[in-house]
């Protein structure tokens, strides 16, 4: 049932061209310039009135929420807050019937998320679920929603469910922006055409970068700490890269917004510390390159994820991985792929049971 792969995690990473496609199939029409999400349309009055959207989730799903915050604010011009479900539920949050809560969960059974939603629902908020498991508790509790079509995810470390969440969140932002009139036809067209290309771009990364990523994993597998840095839409991907590494290799890793490193983490940098930069072509590129120079000056070991055709970041780095160029809003879907694979190979090299790492459960049904 692992389809010839050594682990479920590897199978699930390699399924992503298909699961990304499945998550937009029937919902995105690049020719007619249309995004169809009937779940969203069914609460469009609430969404158009809402002064803010609150995203509630945990772990990797929380990282998808952070990416969504950037995308929804940019495209829909509405305030978005992203909350850890466990914090949100206990701090007596101020919620009323004008609030829309976006719940993101692979399993649909995460206890903290579920209880946070129940509380918000009692206070009158509208709950919109982005869930993978059909008929799960969160899906049933939601007033409306959209399923991600990642299929069953067995590996404890979330991979294909995360990229499916990103796709659905992008569709959500595009449809809402269209309803609100906050996106130009041209931008809309660029983004849906770009999204339609993502499956083949992910496939390209998996096929052409696998050997490089394996070699990088082999080279750095003995490190005791890693730092992951990114900016803008790729900042949450730095967090996700670090989480994946912690979960399946037991190596300590931290993700940070690249500019924030000067405010503390840079003190960690020495000639033993691998620093993974997400340095793809986007409006932050020059800034990222200068952050890389700062790390290099302190002898940190630079590993970079760069866009095809890159010169500066690739040249600065000791090792680099290439991803295709994409619109900055779509970029996280590509830049996360090499980080998933890097963690996988490091985990395997360190003989960790990557599908079932110690102390972790696939769904956290206790608080
Ligand atoms: O099922 P959920 O999306 O609600 O789960 C949330 C987290 O428990 C989950 O993403 C966890 O962080 C994963 N182990 C990440 O790989």
């Amino acid at each position: 049932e692992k389809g010839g792969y050594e682990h479920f995690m590897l199978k699930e990473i390699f399924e992503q061209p298909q699961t990304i496609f499945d998550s937009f199939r029937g919902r995105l029409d690049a020719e007619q310039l249309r995004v169809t999400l009937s779940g969203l349309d069914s609460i469009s009055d609430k969404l158009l009135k809402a002064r803010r959207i609150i995203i509630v989730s945990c772990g990797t799903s929380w990282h998808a929420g952070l990416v969504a915050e950037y995308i929804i604010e940019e495209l829909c011009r509405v305030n978005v807050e992203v909350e850890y479900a466990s914090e949100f539920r206990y701090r007596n949050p101020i919620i009323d019937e004008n609030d829309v809560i976006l719940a993101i969960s692979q399993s649909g059974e995460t206890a903290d998320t579920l209880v946070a939603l129940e509380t918000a629902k009692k206070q009158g908020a509208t709950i919109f679920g982005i869930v993978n498991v059909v008929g799960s508790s969160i899906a049933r509790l939601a007033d409306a929603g959209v399923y991600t079509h990642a299929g069953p995810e067995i590996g404890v470390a979330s991979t294909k469910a995360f990229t499916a969440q990103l796709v659905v969140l992008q569709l959500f932002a595009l449809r809402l922006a269209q309803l609100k009139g906050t996106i130009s036809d041209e931008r809309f067209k660029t983004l849906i055409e770009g999204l339609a290309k993502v499956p083949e771009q992910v496939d390209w990364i998996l096929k052409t970068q696998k050997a490089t990523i394996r070699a990088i994993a082999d080279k750095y597998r003995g490190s005791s700490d890693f730092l992951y840095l990114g900016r803008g839409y790729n900042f949450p991907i730095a967090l996700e890269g670090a989480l994946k590494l912690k979960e399946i290799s037991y190596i300590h890793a931290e993700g940070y917004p690249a500019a924030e490193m000067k405010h503390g983490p840079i003190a960690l940098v020495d000639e033993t510390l691998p620093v993974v930069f997400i340095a793809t072509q986007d409006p932050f590129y020059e800034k990222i390159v200068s952050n890389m120079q700062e790390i290099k000056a302190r002898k940190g070991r630079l590993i970079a994820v760069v866009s095809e055709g890159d010169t500066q970041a690739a040249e600065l780095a000791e090792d680099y991985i290439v991803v295709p160029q994409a619109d900055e809003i779509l970029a996280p879907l590509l830049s996360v792929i090499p980080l998933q694979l890097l963690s996988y190979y490091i985990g395997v090299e360190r003989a960790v049971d990557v599908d079932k790492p110690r102390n972790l459960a696939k769904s956290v049904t206790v608080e």
Side-chain angles (χ1 to χ4, degrees), residues 58-61 105-108 110 156-158 165 243-244 247 364:
C58 302
T60 288
S61 298
S105 177
Q106 187 286 126
S107 62
T110 301
V156 161
S158 184
Q165 288 166 346
L243 178 65
K244 286 291 89 97
E247 285 189 292
V364 184

Side-chain angles (χ1 to χ4, degrees), residues 110-217:
T110 301
D112 279 321
T113 308
L114 186 60
V115 179
L117 299 175
E118 281 166 356
T119 315
K121 195 170 179 173
K122 273 192 209 123
Q123 291 175 249
T126 302
I127 315 292
F128 189 88
I130 295 181
V131 174
N132 195 46
V133 177
V134 176
S136 55
S137 305
I138 294 173
R140 281 184 279 122
L141 178 105
D143 298 293
V146 183
Y147 281 115
T148 46
H149 290 161
E153 191 180 61
I154 311 292
V156 161
S158 184
T159 54
K160 64 174 182 169
F162 177 69
T163 47
Q165 288 166 346
L166 292 182
V167 169
V168 166
L169 289 160
Q170 280 155 349
L171 294 174
F172 180 96
L174 283 164
R175 179 64 187 147
L176 183 59
Q178 202 174 40
L179 289 173
K180 288 178 81 100
T182 49
I183 188 166
S184 69
D185 288 349
E186 198 192 336
R187 185 91 178 103
F188 191 85
K189 184 169 188 295
T190 310
L191 288 172
I192 65 172
E193 286 174 352
L195 192 50
K197 273 200 285 190
V198 169
E200 69 188 67
Q201 293 178 316
V202 170
D203 194 48
W204 183 90
I205 299 169
L206 293 169
K207 289 202 173 109
T208 67
Q209 302 301 297
K210 188 176 142 185
T212 308
I213 297 168
R214 242 192 139 136
I216 296 175

Side-chain angles (χ1 to χ4, degrees), residues 67 70 228-239 255-263 276-292 294 305 328-329 331-332 335:
V67 177
Y70 282 57
Y228 285 75
L229 301 173
R231 298 177 84 117
Y233 299 95
N234 276 322
F235 150 55
I237 301 305
L239 299 184
Y256 262 94
E260 191 62 22
M261 70 179 187
K262 287 199 197 75
H263 303 280
V276 181
F277 270 93
I278 305 155
T280 49
Q281 285 298 335
D282 61 28
F284 303 108
Y285 181 71
E286 296 298 329
K287 302 250 176 235
I288 279 277
V289 167
S290 79
N291 294 141
M292 288 179 70
E294 287 156 357
V305 176
E328 54 175 334
I329 283 183
S335 49

Side-chain angles (χ1 to χ4, degrees), residues 8-16 153-155 159-160:
F8 282 109
M9 183 177 177
L10 190 62
K11 171 173 175 264
E12 288 161 4
I13 290 174
F14 274 82
E15 270 171 5
Q16 289 175 109
E153 191 180 61
I154 311 292
T159 54
K160 64 174 182 169

